[in-house]
Amino acid sequence: MKRFLVRTFIGAIPLLLLVLGSLYYYFRIRPELTGDLGQLGKIAFGTEYDARIGKPLLADRMVRPYEPGAPVGRIVTIGDSFSQQEEKGYQNFLAHRLGEPVTNIRLIQGEAPEQAALDLLRDGFFDTLPEVKWVIVESVERALVDRCLKLAPDRIPEASPLLRDGDGPTGPESSNGLLGRAFRQSKDWMLLRTGLAANPVCSAALSRPCFTLPGRESTLYFYRDDLDRLSVSDDELAAMRESLRTLHDRFRERGIELFYLMAVDKYELYQHLIAENPYPQRLLGTRLRELDSLEFFIDPLPRLRERLDAGETDLYLGHDTHWSQKGAALAADLLCEKILDRETEHATTDDENRPNFD
């Protein structure tokens, strides 16, 4: 009997360790997982930085999600996660700069903003919104090349790319669902900590402090997918230019001006400050700068890098893939400058074309 109990106890040790590890993760680690990189890599960044850096800089929100039947302003944005930062995002800063609200269109997860914009245009969505004069399409840099190369201007969409009521979570998760998710997450955490699973989050030491993340001021954390595409060929660049020009021209034909905003990848911005960089050099941003010849293409990288090299901290969030409110405000400034310049050009052209009855 004693031998049986001993064998049973020894056999139960792995299960006991799993239960103890799950409890430790759930009550000790999980509350400290802040930022999307913390969630992805199961890294306990803590809550102090998130609470401090996440405090909105603007008192009121002037960016509003599109709702059927609700008022829509002159400016509409369509984009990925960089366009879903609400009061902390570039749209809210842009709205305050221009003194008018901005409407943001939310897409079903996985929809490419470029293709979604064309699909909505072809489907007559913007014909019902004659008040819209400006559309801003935003895309994260790591996905920009493939999205542009796959753009199908004349396709007939099978369904609307708009996020509809019921597409998201419908209510609180059941206790069984919460327990299952907690178990899966604790398992992922243990696999990552023991090196049995590849971590989707990369890290590297920087030559100087670039963040105010406590204890990690000189460490760059970034999404591994930033390394998937390191450059672009001449042929791909030419095809991208053609696709973006088509996107722009289709909107202009409907009387709508379009700007295309590239959200710079975190690794792209900080790679030149990595000490003894173990990762490959990424030339994508340098190559994409050739798209600046398109007057509607907006690349924040040069101005972001200028601010970074001047010593600015937290242009991107230390624990997240996205730019901070500082970076969002900078992107808004670029958009504001472009919009005001274009409006000045239009006003000048209208004055020149107005008949003179003197």
Side-chain angles (χ1 to χ4, degrees):
M1 183 64 178
K2 183 178 179 181
R3 184 178 299 176
F4 171 76
L5 291 174
V6 170
R7 287 180 177 176
T8 301
F9 176 75
I10 294 174
I13 287 177
L15 179 60
L16 180 63
L17 291 174
L18 182 60
V19 171
L20 291 174
S22 297
L23 291 173
Y24 178 77
Y25 167 80
Y26 192 81
F27 290 105
R28 178 64 182 89
I29 302 298
R30 184 172 172 269
E32 301 293 311
L33 301 182
T34 51
D36 62 1
L37 293 175
Q39 297 290 335
L40 283 168
K42 300 294 182 286
I43 303 170
F45 288 117
T47 58
E48 185 273 329
Y49 178 76
D50 201 49
R52 173 170 50 82
I53 201 90
K55 186 176 181 180
L57 296 177
L58 299 173
D60 57 331
R61 180 190 301 179
M62 290 179 66
V63 54
R64 296 160 188 161
Y66 167 76
E67 299 289 349
V72 175
R74 294 192 311 147
I75 304 172
V76 165
T77 61
I78 304 173
D80 48 40
S81 59
F82 277 82
S83 292
Q84 313 308 322
Q85 293 177 290
E86 300 179 336
E87 73 270 22
K88 304 170 190 174
Y90 70 91
Q91 303 107 313
N92 202 35
F93 287 96
L94 177 63
H96 280 80
R97 303 287 196 272
L98 296 174
E100 59 182 293
V102 169
T103 300
N104 180 52
I105 292 179
R106 296 169 295 178
L107 302 177
I108 297 172
Q109 187 173 7
E111 290 283 345
E114 303 84 348
Q115 188 65 60
L118 276 177
D119 289 350
L120 289 171
L121 186 70
R122 184 182 179 89
D123 201 34
F125 173 81
F126 288 100
D127 294 339
T128 66
L129 302 172
E131 60 269 45
V132 176
K133 301 302 178 186
W134 303 91
V135 168
I136 299 166
V137 176
E138 172 273 318
S139 179
V140 67
E141 183 184 2
R142 76 177 73 91
L144 185 151
V145 176
D146 290 337
R147 286 172 176 173
C148 288
L149 294 178
K150 293 177 182 178
L151 194 65
D154 298 314
R155 84 164 189 172
I156 299 176
E158 297 180 359
S160 171
L162 291 177
L163 182 67
R164 302 173 295 271
D165 290 339
D167 284 331
T170 57
E173 199 170 356
S174 68
S175 59
N176 289 337
L178 285 172
L179 287 173
R181 187 173 66 175
F183 176 78
R184 291 192 299 272
Q185 290 181 356
S186 63
K187 181 190 69 174
D188 292 342
W189 170 71
M190 285 183 272
L191 290 173
L192 288 171
R193 294 286 76 78
T194 56
L196 296 176
N199 201 316
V201 177
C202 299
S203 64
L206 296 168
S207 58
R208 64 170 177 82
C210 293
F211 306 98
T212 58
L213 185 62
R216 297 177 167 97
E217 294 85 353
S218 299
T219 303
L220 174 69
Y221 292 92
F222 64 95
Y223 190 29
R224 184 177 58 196
D225 285 8
D226 283 5
L227 301 172
D228 282 353
R229 178 177 279 276
L230 300 175
S231 190
V232 62
S233 70
D234 290 341
D235 288 344
E236 288 174 326
L237 202 58
M240 290 175 62
R241 186 180 289 107
E242 184 65 27
S243 292
L244 290 174
R245 175 61 71 184
T246 298
L247 174 67
H248 172 268
D249 291 350
R250 292 287 174 90
F251 273 88
R252 176 168 277 188
E253 289 167 3
R254 300 291 184 92
I256 299 173
E257 291 288 347
L258 179 137
F259 286 114
Y260 188 85
L261 172 65
M262 182 181 78
V264 180
D265 289 333
K266 194 175 181 181
Y267 178 73
E268 181 78 62
L269 177 61
Y270 291 93
Q271 63 175 334
H272 70 294
L273 293 178
I274 298 177
E276 300 180 4
N277 192 353
Y279 303 106
Q281 184 182 13
R282 193 179 197 224
L283 302 175
L284 182 61
T286 302
R287 295 303 314 278
L288 291 180
R289 202 164 302 156
E290 296 182 31
L291 295 175
D292 287 350
S293 60
L294 299 171
E295 69 279 6
F296 57 88
F297 183 80
I298 298 178
D299 177 10
L301 180 58
R303 195 169 296 187
L304 281 166
R305 187 159 286 166
E306 178 183 339
R307 293 274 292 274
L308 176 64
D309 291 343
E312 190 79 67
T313 59
D314 292 320
L315 285 169
Y316 273 57
L317 297 167
H319 62 351
D320 202 281
T321 58
H322 299 90
W323 50 38
S324 68
Q325 294 183 76
K326 291 181 181 179
L330 185 148
D333 288 342
L334 289 171
L335 284 164
C336 185
E337 291 168 13
K338 288 281 190 178
I339 290 174
L340 293 178
D341 286 347
R342 191 67 58 83
E343 287 183 336
T344 300
E345 291 174 10
H346 288 175
T348 302
T349 302
D350 290 343
D351 288 341
E352 292 175 351
N353 293 335
R354 188 175 292 116
N356 189 347
F357 296 104
D358 294 338

